[in-house]
Amino acid sequence: MAKAESATLRKLPSVDEVLRTAVATNATSRFGRSAVVAAVRKTLAAARVNGAVPDGSDHVAAAALTRLEISQRPNLRPVFNLTGTVLHTNLGRALWADAAIEAAQVAMRNAVALEFDLGAGHRGDRDDLIRDLLCELTGAEDATVVNNNAAAVLLVLNTLAKGREAIVSRGELIEIGGAFRMPEIMSRAGARLVEVGTTNRTHKKDYVGALGPKTGLILKVHTSNYRIEGFTNEVPARDLAALAHERKVPLVNDLGSGTLIDLARYGLAHEPTVKEAVAAGADLVTFSGDKLLGGPQAGFIVGRKDLIARIKNNPMKRALRIDKIRLAALEATLRLYRDPDRVAERLPTLRLLARPKKEIEAAARRLLPVIAAKVGNGFDVTIAPCASQIGSGALPMETVPSAGLAIRPRAAKKGGRQLAALSVALRNLAIPVVGRTENGALVLDLRCLEDEKAFVANLATHDVAEGTDALA
């Protein structure tokens, strides 16, 4: 037996033989000689361990090339988001508008006037690039931007309430994704949390009783990622602003997702806009850039000029600033809002949210036979009504009517294993397909699928049914 194995292994080609093949030569031009040599050696080593002899040098070279291509594949990969959640935090949230992508590319390829005043010929302020746009769209006196909304809240608290008290309703002590809690942000900012009211009911008198000489600010937090229903009460922002101004303390309104237009025009529930929050009397308003606004990740702070000046003088501001690429994309995104009648056509987030159900159902009918053929005889594929979510904490109780494909195993006994195997197979495609599992089916919500041709072509890159047939 040992002699037979030894004879078999002697049939393996040498590294030099493999490197002389056309496949290896082409691979060397793509990946470099050292990388190809390493891949060939690993491939031959694996063959020795497994006792398998590849059919000649070309096969070894092809296997090494596959190994190289897999190793060179980027970790941050595009996916088809068929989860039904438009702003999916784990899948990158908002897709950028074409104008934002083009602006970012220009910023990447060129030296740009990031902090240079072209008129005066001396150092400028990077906030100047988008300040006027933000003020125009929100009605605020001044504005600044940092790398995300949590940073915006942290910076505001650290600037206005470090070593002082920050008053907030117990019903607004939110936790956002990744167990990131508002009380912990306040603690890290150096502010002392003063809770008022109860989980479901907070009254004006609760704020009045908490105000004192050590109060740094009143914080109102939009509960964008949950709702308390039933026997509830909260103090309206306008009333809270009046109280804050009477006591000469700033009111900070954290809108979380934040939107610059009324979503009701797209058939969604009304979400407080930034302009409404400013008009209601908030001294500062914070909100995100990569959620309902539909741009790159950023945290905006808009409001009173004197408070913005204090925030910009905080040394933490430099640590939290954003780079030229995102600033370019933000400027382009904000400019789209100057034309509210056409913004939904140009901004992917709004376009996907406003997409008619009939259009999605038509896509489901077209794709049903394609998917059915791809997943094989072990599954039934049907068109299913879906309820898409906005995601990223925006309007958590609201859904958007949608449609998709429900894939159910025919063999109930092994159905769970088949669904799991199918989900893995779809994620192993050249462009992974991510759906959701519910009620014993893998559901592919098609609201976010706009390029059907690319989707169908992608299905051909891997035998999806192969891993599930054995379980049928």
Side-chain angles (χ1 to χ4, degrees):
M1 180 67 73
K3 288 183 179 179
E5 288 181 358
S6 178
T8 298
L9 292 176
R10 281 198 295 271
K11 294 179 181 178
L12 286 172
S14 68
V15 173
D16 285 340
E17 287 180 273
V18 177
L19 292 176
R20 285 195 292 269
T21 64
V23 174
T25 300
N26 291 333
T28 300
S29 67
R30 291 175 58 190
F31 301 103
R33 180 178 173 82
S34 61
V36 174
V37 170
V40 170
R41 286 174 175 164
K42 287 180 181 178
T43 302
L44 291 172
R48 293 188 186 96
V49 171
N50 298 328
V53 180
D55 187 12
S57 300
D58 285 331
H59 282 77
V60 175
L65 176 59
T66 299
R67 184 185 293 271
L68 277 170
E69 288 174 337
I70 292 174
S71 69
Q72 293 293 320
R73 191 166 58 188
N75 292 325
L76 187 61
R77 297 168 60 195
V79 304
F80 283 105
N81 174 16
L82 306 188
T83 62
T85 301
V86 176
L87 295 171
H88 200 301
T89 297
N90 305 130
L91 300 181
R93 291 183 178 163
L95 306 180
W96 292 11
D98 289 342
I101 295 170
E102 292 166 6
Q105 290 177 335
V106 170
M108 285 187 279
R109 291 194 175 107
N110 297 277
V112 293
L114 176 63
E115 289 185 352
F116 187 77
D117 187 326
L118 292 171
H122 56 61
R123 184 186 180 98
D125 183 345
R126 66 179 65 191
D127 282 345
D128 289 346
L129 299 172
I130 58 172
R131 177 188 289 110
D132 290 345
L133 271 169
L134 281 169
C135 293
E136 173 190 330
L137 295 169
T138 66
E141 291 181 4
D142 204 353
T144 188
V145 61
V146 289
N147 62 358
N148 63 28
N149 189 52
V153 175
L154 177 72
L155 184 59
V156 168
L157 288 167
N158 182 260
T159 303
L160 304 184
K162 182 180 179 181
R164 299 175 66 78
E165 297 174 349
I167 301 173
V168 62
S169 167
R170 285 188 174 89
E172 297 174 1
L173 291 174
I174 64 170
E175 176 181 307
I176 57 178
F180 201 63
R181 298 177 173 181
M182 182 60 72
E184 294 172 359
I185 298 175
M186 299 176 79
S187 175
R188 294 287 182 176
R192 189 169 77 82
L193 169 64
V194 176
E195 304 175 30
V196 297
T198 61
T199 302
N200 60 317
R201 289 177 68 82
T202 302
H203 303 277
K204 183 177 178 180
K205 64 181 180 181
D206 297 318
Y207 290 98
V208 172
L211 283 162
K214 295 183 179 180
T215 301
L217 57 82
I218 297 175
L219 178 64
K220 183 168 183 59
V221 182
H222 179 43
T223 56
S224 57
N225 64 349
Y226 72 96
R227 288 287 185 271
I228 299 175
E229 297 181 345
F231 193 55
T232 65
N233 187 76
E234 67 173 305
V235 182
R238 192 172 296 277
D239 294 349
L240 207 52
L243 174 63
H245 299 161
E246 178 187 329
R247 296 299 185 91
K248 294 182 171 52
V249 298
L251 170 66
V252 178
N253 192 342
D254 173 28
L255 288 182
S257 291
T259 179
L260 296 178
I261 57 176
D262 187 358
L263 297 179
R265 68 191 299 168
Y266 306 114
L268 303 171
H270 176 73
E271 181 84 347
T273 68
V274 180
K275 181 171 281 190
E276 288 171 348
V278 171
D283 298 287
L284 292 174
V285 179
T286 61
F287 58 102
S288 294
D290 60 339
K291 296 181 182 179
L292 288 174
L293 191 138
Q297 179 179 296
F300 298 103
I301 310 170
V302 302
R304 280 171 40 188
K305 186 177 287 291
D306 61 322
L307 297 182
I308 295 293
R310 289 175 59 185
I311 288 166
K312 288 171 67 67
N313 285 330
N314 188 325
M316 288 179 63
K317 173 65 165 63
R318 182 179 178 83
L320 301 174
R321 69 184 182 178
I322 65 175
D323 68 335
K324 65 175 183 177
I325 299 169
R326 277 191 283 172
L327 272 169
L330 281 175
E331 180 184 4
T333 302
L334 291 171
R335 288 186 184 281
L336 296 179
Y337 282 92
R338 283 178 157 173
D339 187 359
D341 293 332
R342 291 191 293 174
V343 66
E345 300 171 20
R346 300 170 175 178
L347 202 63
T349 295
L350 295 180
R351 184 173 68 243
L352 294 174
L353 288 173
R355 194 177 179 195
K357 182 182 178 182
K358 288 184 178 180
E359 179 183 309
I360 305 171
E361 288 174 333
R365 288 192 293 271
R366 289 190 296 270
L367 291 172
L368 188 150
V370 178
I371 294 292
K374 193 63 183 177
V375 299
N377 296 326
F379 298 91
D380 288 318
V381 184
T382 58
I383 296 175
C386 296
S388 300
Q389 296 178 318
I390 295 174
S392 292
L395 296 171
M397 304 301 291
E398 296 294 324
T399 57
V400 187
S402 185
L405 298 172
I407 308 172
R408 288 185 171 82
R410 289 176 177 171
K413 191 173 182 180
K414 298 180 180 179
R417 291 168 61 195
Q418 276 188 283
L419 273 185
L422 177 61
S423 297
V424 170
L426 289 172
R427 294 198 303 272
N428 282 335
L429 290 168
I431 303 176
V433 174
V434 184
R436 70 175 187 271
T437 302
E438 63 180 25
N439 299 324
L442 176 63
V443 178
L444 306 179
D445 187 320
L446 302 179
R447 172 165 292 279
C448 294
L449 179 62
E450 294 188 290
D451 192 343
E452 290 180 38
K453 288 184 178 180
F455 178 73
V456 172
N458 181 61
L459 291 175
T461 63
H462 186 74
D463 189 351
V464 173
E466 181 182 2
T468 62
D469 286 344
L471 299 173

